[in-house]
Amino acid sequence: MKHVYIETFGCQMNKADSEHMLGLLDEIDYKLTEDIDKANLVLFNTCTIRETANHRFYSQLGIAGNKKKKKPDLLIGVGGCVAQDKRSWLQKNFPYVDIVFGTNNIQRLPEIVKNAEKGKNICEIEEELPLELPELPVIRQTKVTAWVNVILGCNFNCTYCIVPSVRGRERSRTPEVIFNEVQTLAAEGFKEITLLGQNVTAYGYDISSNYSKEKATFGYIPEDPEHSLAKLLRHIHDIDGIERIRFLTGHPFHVTDELIDAVAELPKACEHFHIPMQSGDDTVLKRMARVYSVDKYRKMAEKIRNKMPIAAITSDFIVGFPGETQEQFLNTVKIVQEIGFDACNTAAYSPRPDTPSAVWENQISGDEKNERLRYLNSVVNEVLEKKNNELLNNYLEVLVEGKSQTNESKLTGRTRGNTVVNFDGCESMIGKLINVKITKANPWSMGGEIIKGEVSLVN
Ligand code: SAH
Ligand code: SF4
Ligand code: F3S
């Protein structure tokens, strides 16, 4: 038996991919270790969404390289988005890396590792996903919640974003295959699933019979499509044992009435919409090629909240996009306050190789970007704290996921809106839906209490 140590950077897609890598490696008898010094193989599943993500990976790679000096037969592998993007550069600058593999060929991992064991340096990258998406083995790192990939890739071309070039074009898995996976998860005792895609709200269009490959650039929905995210939610909804269904990440263009209605009607579908807005200014949105206006987003949010007053709407924002004026930036600040998001990820614009906006001349200075980010973050924190304060003394449905990572004596779970709640409880509650009284509101999490004698299991 051998050991693999894996470090995962980036989004949920990468976390889900890592679980598949572990499943594949298990087939050739590599077991997971948490201790890098025990490892025969150190694997990095990388992210390149911003330059800071690359840097985090390079510094960890350096540490692994030093370990290899003392243990020459240690294998070092790099997968994920940096590998897809910078294969030759990686090989040239880090000669101690044995394996480089892409996001489209993780199914080849066992063979690649076997070859590397024989002393070969391997770089295998596929540009396109295979026509038939393979069903990959998996070793999940969670017990209550699970990720299910439903669509890979992205057909948009936001001018700042590297994802389409490292993840390829949209490819949906079939509803049958997804149904089977969810059924297996239910049988294994999982309670919540998150349907994953870089652009999950485009699910199904590419496998609908009237899909037009020519038209399918950004901002395309086939007429009356056979398959869609809404139809998928309905298709898997009644699988016994699964209590909650989520989906991540959406694009405002694809938030259809059909989807809003499905989430409103289906009891297990969590009323949480993570729909990144990116900027609160129409000119900036246009230059980002986001294909919607501020007003269109506002109307979408209204529609969601009219149907589901408790719905949580969360977003991502980029500050300091090339050419963004102070006034345009302040429009982002205003929209965050106006919409009252339930959570926001914020980031300073980072120029990515081979993306259109990286070579525009009107780049904003690092200091200015950081200043804007600091200001936006302070506003976001105020908005979130206010929203969470409004929930004080309410009882919210929490799915208990396990012990809190920061405080072993507490349990942790999430509300339907995806806010973390920490509270005192006993281990037997893990995996259950419980009503928790909210007693403390922070911007990014809440504290709760179960009143003795009042423990109410939701089901
Ligand atoms: N498909 C999703 C999110 C993809 S990437 C969407 O359309 O929104 C996750 C987030 O990273 C994005 O929402 C964006 O806010 C951020 N991001 C992407 N490229 C970036 C860049 N070049 N600089 C800074 N942030 C970026
Ligand atoms: Fe990137 Fe835009 Fe696709 Fe999101 S929709 S992954 S931001 S190109
Ligand atoms: Fe990063 Fe790749 Fe995800 S660039 S955000 S790991 S798709």
Side-chain angles (χ1 to χ4, degrees):
M1 185 173 69
K2 295 188 168 162
H3 285 104
V4 52
Y5 176 88
I6 189 163
E7 194 153 346
T8 308
F9 302 83
C11 62
Q12 277 80 0
M13 301 285 278
N14 257 22
K15 290 179 187 147
D17 285 351
S18 287
E19 295 184 332
H20 289 295
M21 291 176 194
L22 291 175
L24 286 155
L25 288 169
D26 190 65
E27 292 186 339
I28 53 166
D29 233 10
Y30 275 84
K31 306 286 174 219
L32 178 67
T33 173
E34 309 275 320
D35 178 0
I36 191 167
D37 290 317
K38 277 209 186 119
N40 308 90
L41 167 65
V42 175
L43 208 52
F44 294 100
N45 191 7
T46 59
C47 170
T48 183
I49 198 78
R50 288 177 282 275
E51 201 51 37
T52 45
N54 286 38
H55 286 152
R56 273 196 292 274
F57 154 58
Y58 298 147
S59 72
Q60 293 308 100
L61 181 58
I63 294 173
N66 282 335
K67 300 220 177 269
K68 189 167 172 143
K69 277 186 199 145
K70 288 179 214 130
K71 191 175 167 186
D73 58 352
L74 176 67
L75 292 180
I76 299 181
V78 182
C81 295
V82 178
Q84 188 78 22
D85 186 44
K86 288 197 157 201
R87 56 202 84 164
S88 11
W89 187 87
L90 268 176
Q91 284 193 302
K92 207 166 114 211
N93 287 278
F94 302 92
Y96 55 78
V97 170
D98 303 277
I99 300 166
V100 179
F101 63 103
T103 51
N104 293 335
N105 58 341
I106 62 174
Q107 72 279 6
R108 299 253 318 128
L109 196 54
E111 207 167 325
I112 297 174
V113 171
K114 282 268 170 219
N115 282 330
E117 284 173 350
K118 291 180 203 143
K120 293 187 199 148
N121 262 44
I122 319 262
C123 175
E124 263 202 29
I125 307 270
E126 292 289 335
E127 297 307 333
E128 289 286 329
L129 283 164
L131 219 59
E132 288 292 319
L133 295 178
E135 292 314 305
L136 302 177
V138 61
I139 294 186
R140 309 223 178 233
Q141 300 303 298
T142 47
K143 293 209 158 57
V144 178
T145 61
W147 289 303
V148 177
N149 278 330
V150 301
I151 177 170
L152 310 176
C154 175
N155 281 7
F156 283 94
N157 282 299
C158 303
T159 51
Y160 51 81
C161 185
I162 199 164
V163 169
S165 77
V166 288
R167 290 280 175 173
R169 288 179 69 78
E170 286 160 9
R171 293 287 299 279
S172 297
R173 296 170 75 208
T174 64
E176 294 75 36
V177 163
I178 296 166
F179 187 93
N180 290 343
E181 183 168 339
V182 177
Q183 228 170 13
T184 308
L185 286 167
E188 288 169 353
F190 288 90
K191 301 293 177 205
E192 176 182 300
I193 54 159
T194 302
L195 308 177
L196 280 186
Q198 275 300 339
N199 189 9
V200 77
T201 39
Y203 172 78
Y205 299 153
D206 60 301
I207 50 170
S208 293
S209 56
N210 59 344
Y211 177 75
S212 155
K213 225 176 167 182
E214 288 69 50
K215 285 196 209 151
T217 52
F218 38 122
Y220 166 72
I221 302 179
E223 213 173 300
D224 198 13
E226 241 168 301
H227 301 286
S228 64
L229 181 60
K231 293 186 176 81
L232 180 67
L233 288 172
R234 292 182 191 279
H235 184 61
I236 60 174
H237 185 267
D238 294 332
I239 295 177
D240 268 351
I242 299 296
E243 312 271 11
R244 282 177 169 185
I245 309 174
R246 303 179 180 280
F247 53 89
L248 200 74
T249 297
H251 189 288
F253 185 86
H254 290 129
V255 179
T256 56
D257 290 351
E258 188 201 21
L259 178 62
I260 297 175
D261 290 345
V263 177
E265 280 167 34
L266 298 172
K268 292 181 187 175
C270 288
E271 300 78 9
H272 172 216
F273 292 80
H274 182 64
I275 313 289
M277 187 177 193
Q278 312 299 3
S279 165
D281 184 89
D282 281 341
T283 309
V284 176
L285 285 175
K286 231 190 194 116
R287 298 174 60 245
M288 288 176 160
R290 288 293 291 181
V291 303
Y292 54 84
S293 62
V294 173
D295 203 48
K296 188 137 187 250
Y297 192 101
R298 184 182 281 126
K299 292 211 168 91
M300 175 203 77
E302 275 167 15
K303 219 185 241 175
I304 292 172
R305 286 181 173 152
N306 281 341
K307 282 242 159 175
M308 296 164 266
I310 58 150
I313 302 177
T314 61
S315 181
D316 299 348
F317 285 96
I318 297 175
V319 303
F321 184 70
E324 183 190 68
T325 64
Q326 184 67 12
E327 198 189 336
Q328 289 165 345
F329 163 67
L330 290 174
N331 283 336
T332 294
V333 173
K334 271 190 221 145
I335 204 75
V336 167
Q337 289 164 323
E338 182 200 313
I339 302 231
F341 288 102
D342 297 82
C344 280
N345 304 314
T346 57
Y349 169 75
S350 170
R352 308 315 295 129
D354 301 320
T355 57
S357 64
V359 292
W360 293 351
E361 274 168 14
N362 43 5
Q363 302 288 325
I364 309 286
S365 75
D367 283 351
E368 182 60 36
K369 284 193 277 194
N370 288 336
E371 188 50 43
R372 287 182 192 178
L373 186 61
R374 259 197 302 275
Y375 184 60
L376 180 62
N377 283 343
S378 69
V379 172
V380 165
N381 280 348
E382 273 169 29
V383 169
L384 302 191
E385 195 157 13
K386 182 163 165 268
K387 286 222 92 169
N388 286 347
N389 261 314
E390 285 166 9
L391 296 171
L392 280 175
N393 297 319
N394 286 328
Y395 284 83
L396 296 185
E397 178 200 290
V398 172
L399 175 62
V400 189
E401 289 176 27
K403 288 185 183 169
S404 156
Q405 273 179 350
T406 45
N407 182 347
E408 275 272 303
S409 70
K410 288 202 183 278
L411 293 177
T412 189
R414 276 171 305 139
T415 64
R416 294 179 72 85
N418 211 35
T419 305
V420 170
V421 182
N422 298 309
F423 57 98
D424 290 321
C426 48
E427 264 182 63
S428 61
M429 291 173 180
I430 295 172
K432 305 233 159 67
L433 288 172
I434 287 186
N435 282 322
V436 178
K437 184 179 178 186
I438 303 304
T439 51
K440 190 167 188 294
N442 305 316
W444 290 93
S445 67
M446 299 190 288
E449 260 176 31
I450 303 170
I451 313 288
K452 255 214 167 93
E454 266 190 45
V455 174
S456 68
L457 296 183
V458 174
N459 280 335

